[in-house]
Amino acid sequence: MTRIGLALVGLGKIARDQHLPSLAANPAFQLVATASPAESLTGIPAYADLDAALDAHPQIQAVALCTPPAVRAALARRALQRGCHVLLEKPPCVVAQDLAALDGLAATQGLTLFAAWHSRYAAAVETARRILGATPPLRVQVRWKEDHRVWHPGQAWLWREGGFGVLDPGINALSILTHILPAPLEFIDAELDCPQDSAMPAAARISLRSGAAGVAMQLDFLHAGEPCWDIVADTAQGQLVLSQGGAQLSLDGRAQRIQEQSEYAAIYTYFENLIRRGARDADGAPLEIAGAALRHGRRRRLPLQVLPPAPTAGAAATVPDPLPR
Ligand code: NAP
């Protein structure tokens, strides 16, 4: 079977940490070129933008868009117009309507559009889904806490419009919830804590509902120390704890044996499968909930600043410590 020529767009942290190793290990794809304003890889043709890469390499059949979310919809539209299958990093777009429009364009063009919600491919997620499908939750609590300075050093885009702030990691929890809960997830309300220099929240408390179950989310992007990415569901049969971002599972305190799985290896296997079948997968449910929280949440100003200082010529960018909380 011929390999699928692919261009990687946005050569930042997630492209290097996950996409490149997964592509290197998957013989179905061939990395033909990269497109990123300032970054390049040794031995791979590099272009500053997507059009230049597509102009130079007509064999590119697919693109993986690993840019910040604000520019993703326009890049995806361009790639689809130019006849390429598209993998969208999460969050796939800034607003759900843009994702729906892209899905319509992909359908018209006969191309694959894949919104790759990576956390859905964490090792224990399918087991949790099966259990909750048979035993619906009575209540759900989500604790999603990490230190942005450790996990996203120097990324100013997170704090600008379209950057999602703490909803950038928080949308991973939403992507799992919308996958494992048996009833649709509905937004009720939210409180958002926004640093002085940020358009986006650094912490949030979000109330949701899934069928009869209340779902309470605590998100914190200023959390010092060990990160916490846990979903706790109380059911009539006991308590299910999905931890480590979906990688581990316990039932009533007993750890379940889960086979290891690489999220991004699974993503590229599925992307190939979608392309070969001429299918699409662009679920906007997590984006709709995140969008509702950002639009309707009550905002409170936090007396701290999070933006990294603009780099000066010859100086490496540093990230300030926030004020004590
Ligand atoms: P990042 O390190 O800031 O990388 C983004 C890259 O995209 C940068 O190299 C940037 O170049 C480039 N870029 C910006 N605009 C572009 C454009 N118009 N065309 C081509 N390239 C462009 O961010 P990241 O952490 O990799 O995150 C990227 C996406 O992946 C986000 O949606 C994030 O939520 C998701 N994600 C991140 C992680 C993680 O652990 N970091 C995990 C899972 C998913 P410049 O820097 O030169 O502007």
Side-chain angles (χ1 to χ4, degrees):
M1 192 151 310
T2 53
R3 299 175 81 187
I4 300 165
L6 181 136
L8 200 55
V9 183
L11 202 48
K13 185 171 187 303
I14 197 60
R16 290 178 186 274
D17 287 356
Q18 297 290 344
H19 288 258
L20 289 173
S22 300
L23 282 166
N26 188 330
F29 292 95
Q30 180 178 12
L31 181 60
V32 173
T34 61
S36 204
E39 300 280 323
S40 62
L41 297 171
T42 306
I44 301 289
Y47 302 87
D49 64 66
L50 172 63
D51 271 312
L54 296 179
D55 288 344
H57 302 277
Q59 74 271 38
I60 294 172
Q61 296 163 272
V63 301
L65 300 182
C66 308
T67 66
V71 295
R72 197 152 20 243
L75 288 167
R77 194 175 310 116
R78 190 74 187 131
L80 290 168
Q81 284 166 344
R82 295 201 56 172
C84 293
H85 307 291
V86 174
L87 182 159
L88 303 164
E89 248 301 346
K90 67 92 218 191
C93 296
V94 174
V95 292
Q97 293 92 316
D98 283 351
L99 182 61
L102 289 173
D103 198 38
L105 177 58
T108 306
Q109 297 277 83
L111 293 165
T112 289
L113 180 72
F114 176 31
W117 297 108
H118 67 86
S119 292
R120 288 183 177 174
Y121 300 86
V125 166
E126 282 309 317
T127 308
R129 183 185 199 206
R130 269 199 307 280
I131 292 168
L132 294 177
T135 317
L138 305 169
R139 73 189 71 79
V140 180
Q141 289 181 58
V142 176
R143 290 186 290 268
W144 221 258
K145 302 179 179 196
E146 66 185 60
D147 188 338
H148 73 93
R149 293 159 297 181
V150 172
W151 296 92
H152 300 273
Q155 293 184 349
W157 59 263
L158 282 165
W159 307 107
R160 300 196 188 109
E161 285 298 338
F164 288 83
V166 73
L167 267 301
D168 177 83
I171 206 166
N172 296 338
L174 288 169
S175 73
I176 295 176
L177 290 174
T178 48
H179 188 64
I180 65 175
L181 295 179
L185 200 56
E186 297 166 50
F187 174 76
I188 298 176
D189 62 27
E191 294 174 342
L192 310 174
D193 297 341
C194 299
Q196 284 169 336
D197 57 348
S198 170
M200 294 288 124
R205 293 158 298 285
I206 304 175
S207 299
L208 308 166
R209 184 172 40 227
S210 170
V215 179
M217 298 185 80
Q218 291 177 33
L219 311 180
D220 190 352
F221 222 177
L222 305 169
H223 174 77
E226 278 300 298
C228 162
W229 298 298
D230 294 350
I231 295 174
V232 179
D234 293 322
T235 79
Q237 309 293 320
Q239 189 175 70
L240 175 152
V241 180
L242 188 59
S243 55
Q244 301 288 325
Q248 292 179 9
L249 184 69
S250 74
L251 294 175
D252 273 341
R254 290 187 308 279
Q256 304 298 296
R257 190 171 302 169
I258 299 292
Q259 197 174 352
E260 279 186 27
Q261 167 167 299
S262 154
E263 295 175 16
Y264 280 83
I267 278 173
Y268 274 99
T269 298
Y270 186 48
F271 187 37
E272 184 210 354
N273 182 280
L274 288 171
I275 292 171
R276 304 274 188 223
R277 289 190 289 123
R280 310 185 312 281
D281 184 340
D283 179 19
L287 195 52
E288 281 172 20
I289 302 282
L294 290 171
R295 273 196 314 281
H296 303 302
R298 292 182 300 286
R299 287 178 183 244
R300 194 172 68 122
R301 275 286 163 208
L302 287 182
L304 58 83
Q305 302 198 334
V306 287
L307 274 181
T312 51
T318 55
V319 185
D321 279 339
L323 296 174
R325 308 183 71 211

